[in-house]
Amino acid sequence: MTFPDGFLWGVAAAAYQVEGATSQDGRGPSVWDEFCARPGAVFDGHSGESACDHYHRYPEDIALIADLGANAYRLSISWPRVMARGVGPINEAGLDFYDRVIDALMSRGVTPWVTLFHWDLPSALFHRGGWLNRASVDWFGEYAEAIARRLGDRVQHWMTFNEPQIFLGLGHSTGEHAPGLRYSRPDVLRAAHHVLLAHGRAVERIREHAEVKPIIGWAPHGCICYPTQDREEDVAAARASMFGVPDGDGWCFSTAWFADPVVLGQYPEEGLRRFGTEMPPGFQEDLEQIAQPLEFFGVNVYQGRPIAAGEDGLPVERPRQPGFPHTMCHWPVEPKVLYWGPRFLQERYDLPIYVTENGCACMDWVHQDNHVHDAPRIDYLARHLSALRQAIRDGADVRGYFQWSILDNFEWAEGYRMRFGLIYVDFETMERIPKDSYAWYQQVILSNGGCLPEAPALLR
Ligand code: IFM
């Protein structure tokens, strides 16, 4: 059984994780450059300074994407590459790079899907208060306008923010990611509110300035809950848990706190009850600007939380059995997230869904025969894609899937030790070696998912 006709098969990456060339052709510094320079912040002192050298090797990488048969490539624009200080003069050399990338993709029949912000805030703006400063909404609007004016004659598919929950939660609350802050809850709430407003502003700017009628969404982190069994009460408990707003620091990773204002035009009641008094004054008046109509709901899905109904019917998180499978990042392997996640999201937000990221880090190395045999990744992807196909059969309107990631790349605080790619990168020589999973995904695309195993057994 195949995926629906016209299903979009993509691969994804992000500027800071692959480009390198961080001080070339007028690019300004970002919060990630500064964070990487801090002793102990990133594994073994790694940084994105060279990354995969995609800045210079993009023709080779795009040829690999095209040969894979992917119809789409999700890339992000580096804000400090196109505006060194975040606002003000455009760095033409930086924008030229994205012009070349877009043209190269399109000439090979690969549709570019562009994310405006995948975490590399220009340092100059951070030093003016970053997302804590309400002016960040204007800064982001100016940047979005510049990109839409220049690339909007060819680019049709846009995402504003990648995983706001993660760059706010890990970057501004726990301090594990750039800019390494540990703000108080009221401050993180304020920064998050500005990010949502900036999302709304960017949607408006893209619609005003893109020449080709834009198709706009975003790519939040999917904090997925799934029922441990198919009992109705467990499904209801998982749904309630997935859209709950926990107390403590957990609110920051909540789906509803971020997605309800963006799509439904209101913050969830549960969160407002818990910490509404800590929100910036007048926040309710901004909701109209935040809730711009979107064409799709993107979601990045890697793992979830197993939920059952307790005796009182309320959600209870169940422990996983000893020896439960985990990826190299220690993330549990639970394909059900690509079944229940899209179904729950669609029920609540009623928009077409794209899985904008899914994949896993494995213990990959080059074997003696000069190939990279990454059977665990193939198994992970096969299980997740089968679950996704089943979700579509059961009514979820999922239109596309982006595997994360086309290349091994800079995995933030983990540096280069976590390899997510379909293509192995030797970070000394920059040689690219397609892994077994590359050839496997090629077959999946070619057969429109018809070669995947049946799902029910995998969903149990
Ligand atoms: O590498 C990241 C990506 O930048 C955002 N989503 C999760 C991926 C794996 O951790």
Side-chain angles (χ1 to χ4, degrees), residues 37-61:
R38 250 196 235 178
V42 173
F43 174 74
D44 260 359
H46 295 171
S47 81
E49 195 178 342
S50 314
C52 308
D53 195 29
H54 176 72
Y55 188 74
H56 298 108
R57 293 167 199 260
Y58 73 89
E60 178 186 352
D61 294 337

Side-chain angles (χ1 to χ4, degrees), residues 17 118-119 162-163 300 302 331 357 404 411-412 420:
Q17 294 180 270
H118 199 125
W119 307 357
N162 183 74
E163 296 177 0
N300 297 352
Y302 291 90
W331 298 349
E357 286 182 22
W404 181 273
E411 177 55 19
W412 309 112
F420 277 87

Side-chain angles (χ1 to χ4, degrees), residues 60-80:
E60 178 186 352
D61 294 337
I62 290 173
L64 284 162
I65 293 170
D67 292 347
L68 178 66
N71 348 103
Y73 173 52
R74 178 173 172 236
L75 68 145
S76 78
I77 307 285
S78 160
W79 189 351

Side-chain angles (χ1 to χ4, degrees), residues 16 29-38 41 123-124 126-127 178:
Y16 191 73
S30 78
V31 290
W32 269 97
D33 299 290
E34 289 190 7
F35 188 69
C36 292
R38 250 196 235 178
S123 295
F126 171 64
H127 294 295

